[in-house]
Amino acid sequence: MVKEKKPLKGKIPSRRKFFKTAAATGAAATAAVAMPNLALGGGHTTLKMQAAWPSGANIFFEMAGDYAKMVDQMSGGTLKIDLQPVGAVVKTSEIGQAVSSGVLDMGHWVTAYWYGKNPAASLFGTGPSYGMSSQEVMGWMEYGGGRALYEETLAKVGFDYVGFFHMPMPAQPFGWFKKNVTKVSDVKGMKYRTVGLATNVLTAMGMVVRQLPGGEIQPAMKTGLIDAAEFNNPTSDSQFGMQDVSKHYHLGSFHQSQEMFEIPINKKSYNNLSPAHQAILKNAAYAANTDNYFKALVRYSADLSKLMNEHKVNVYQTSDAILSEQLKGWDKVVGDFSGKDPFFKKIIDSQKAYAKRVMKYLLMNQPNYKLAYENEFGPIAKVKI
């Protein structure tokens, strides 16, 4: 790192000092060329981050920007993030390797996007629930032994980065269908889009699963390449224009009932930062965690209302019959992978132990919030929003 030098107080440097300073400056310039993404100067550092999301009207790119703003504000402008959209430097699937090698300093995506390198990646965001939501999975990450297992998984796939997480996503919808589906037989044989371990779970249910990037989902459904699809939430789904290809939207599903953003940071870039800047990158993720969740609840509910009232989309809760079959699918997938991979089983065992204790307390302690809601507004299915 290049440290700021104190200004000379009215003194004229000697010839020897002048050349000594010039040599030091040249060495610093050489170091900057060797690490092009880490822009240094005047006590300021800029890190290049590429997201897996397009710029413009995209709430995920906006949330990545929220994190970048928090880093800027918390550092007093001395640490900045140059946020780039999907494809600006590398393809989405290449973000992890690009961060590891130093082509990028940082990324913004989800662990399911490197599921192809090791299925265990999906357990840090899109794994089985065991009663946990994203909030509890993030609790397991930080206080239940999950972080050490995550770092072990990174090492197994050859990723050389430090990772932080933010934004505990609400359960993802089962998605968009050409009709209301209530029975398992209604979805068998359907060509369906999802990612991560959810592909295995829904395949076990008899669905024909295809993994497609977010931007390809709506066109694929429009042309009939797929019959049904999920992405993430009412805001993102409406931004993709899913309401133009389907009028049947099923909320709440166990195929991806918990997920969060991963922020990978190149280890060399991270280690070259001051302890204060390292702490800011970590704690800004915690701050964005809360802020993004609050924003999501407001925006997702408002956009669900628009889908229902302006676009005449029929919204349903996914049936218990389908949810139960999803859980059976998870049991099969977890059993198959655990039987083949002791490390996968090690992560699952850790999650189960955490969920068994924490969720017993949480589920027994939580009152029936639906009862309170319906006491005020009436049956939830009939409430107009």
Side-chain angles (χ1 to χ4, degrees):
M1 290 292 282
V2 177
K3 296 180 180 179
E4 287 187 283
K5 297 183 182 296
K6 294 181 180 180
L8 297 171
K9 298 181 179 179
K11 294 182 180 179
I12 299 175
S14 68
R15 180 184 174 89
R16 176 179 292 179
K17 285 184 178 179
F18 173 81
F19 284 114
K20 189 176 182 180
T21 302
T25 303
T30 301
V33 170
M35 200 173 354
N37 298 322
L38 198 63
L40 305 170
H44 293 71
T45 303
T46 299
L47 302 173
K48 184 181 287 296
M49 169 193 273
Q50 184 188 299
W53 332 112
S55 57
N58 184 286
I59 194 167
F60 284 0
F61 190 79
E62 182 182 330
M63 288 174 172
D66 292 338
Y67 172 75
K69 287 175 188 173
M70 289 176 184
V71 168
D72 185 15
Q73 292 168 353
M74 292 167 74
S75 70
T78 61
L79 181 60
K80 294 181 179 294
I81 293 175
D82 176 16
L83 175 61
Q84 299 293 320
V86 62
V89 181
V90 296
K91 297 177 182 177
T92 295
S93 60
E94 299 169 342
I95 288 176
Q97 191 55 51
V99 172
S100 296
S101 64
V103 172
L104 294 167
D105 295 308
M106 305 176 68
H108 193 275
W109 62 345
V110 292
T111 60
Y113 286 176
W114 49 278
Y115 154 85
K117 288 185 172 292
N118 191 320
S122 210
L123 299 177
F124 303 97
T126 54
S129 171
Y130 304 125
M132 294 188 290
S133 72
S134 299
Q135 298 275 15
E136 289 78 53
V137 173
M138 294 187 79
W140 166 75
M141 280 291 300
E142 302 305 334
Y143 291 99
R147 176 156 291 280
L149 293 167
Y150 162 71
E151 291 171 355
E152 194 174 344
T153 309
L154 292 177
K156 282 182 177 292
V157 302
F159 281 163
D160 190 30
Y161 61 66
V162 177
F164 298 123
F165 292 82
H166 74 109
M167 174 46 182
M169 300 180 190
Q172 296 179 32
F174 192 29
W176 300 82
F177 294 79
K178 297 294 177 67
K179 62 177 183 177
N180 180 15
V181 294
T182 59
K183 304 185 296 294
V184 176
S185 58
D186 290 337
V187 300
K188 280 196 173 178
M190 273 192 180
K191 294 174 289 185
Y192 179 90
R193 181 270 176 193
T194 190
V195 295
L197 276 175
T199 59
N200 304 81
V201 171
L202 298 182
T203 297
M205 283 181 58
M207 302 182 80
V208 180
V209 181
R210 295 182 175 175
Q211 299 193 56
L212 298 171
E216 295 180 19
I217 300 172
Q218 198 259 24
M221 196 159 172
K222 195 171 187 177
T223 60
L225 180 65
I226 54 177
D227 304 311
E230 64 81 36
F231 179 70
N232 192 279
N233 63 79
T235 300
S236 296
D237 291 357
S238 59
Q239 287 171 341
F240 280 132
M242 295 303 295
Q243 66 274 14
D244 298 328
V245 293
S246 170
K247 298 298 181 186
H248 300 279
Y249 193 29
H250 293 69
L251 299 181
S253 175
F254 283 125
H255 80 286
Q256 288 181 310
S257 55
Q258 64 282 323
E259 191 170 26
M260 64 288 297
F261 296 127
E262 179 192 25
I263 305 172
I265 308 171
N266 175 269
K267 271 189 183 175
K268 191 172 184 179
S269 296
Y270 183 78
N271 290 335
N272 278 329
L273 296 172
S274 68
H277 279 175
Q278 291 176 353
I280 285 170
L281 289 176
K282 175 183 178 180
N283 289 304
Y286 285 136
N289 195 52
T290 302
D291 180 75
N292 289 166
Y293 184 72
F294 292 163
K295 174 185 284 189
L297 293 182
V298 172
R299 295 275 286 278
Y300 293 1
S301 60
D303 286 321
L304 181 66
S305 178
K306 287 181 183 178
L307 287 171
M308 296 172 69
N309 297 315
E310 296 179 19
H311 298 282
K312 308 306 177 186
V313 171
N314 301 299
V315 177
Y316 318 94
Q317 284 187 289
T318 302
S319 71
D320 286 346
I322 290 176
L323 292 176
S324 295
E325 196 69 15
Q326 288 178 352
L327 292 176
K328 290 178 185 176
W330 270 117
D331 290 342
K332 181 181 187 308
V333 169
V334 167
D336 289 347
F337 278 102
S338 294
K340 292 182 289 187
D341 183 358
F343 180 67
F344 189 98
K345 184 177 185 301
K346 181 180 176 181
I347 300 173
I348 287 292
D349 288 346
S350 176
Q351 288 185 336
K352 282 184 178 180
Y354 182 86
K356 187 176 182 180
R357 183 183 70 253
V358 170
M359 294 314 301
K360 179 179 176 66
Y361 158 72
L362 194 57
L363 292 171
M364 289 190 72
N365 186 63
Q366 285 179 335
N368 186 339
Y369 287 114
K370 183 178 178 182
L371 185 67
Y373 183 91
E374 293 188 335
N375 179 67
E376 181 64 28
F377 303 110
I380 195 167
K382 297 181 180 180
V383 174
K384 301 291 184 182
I385 57 171

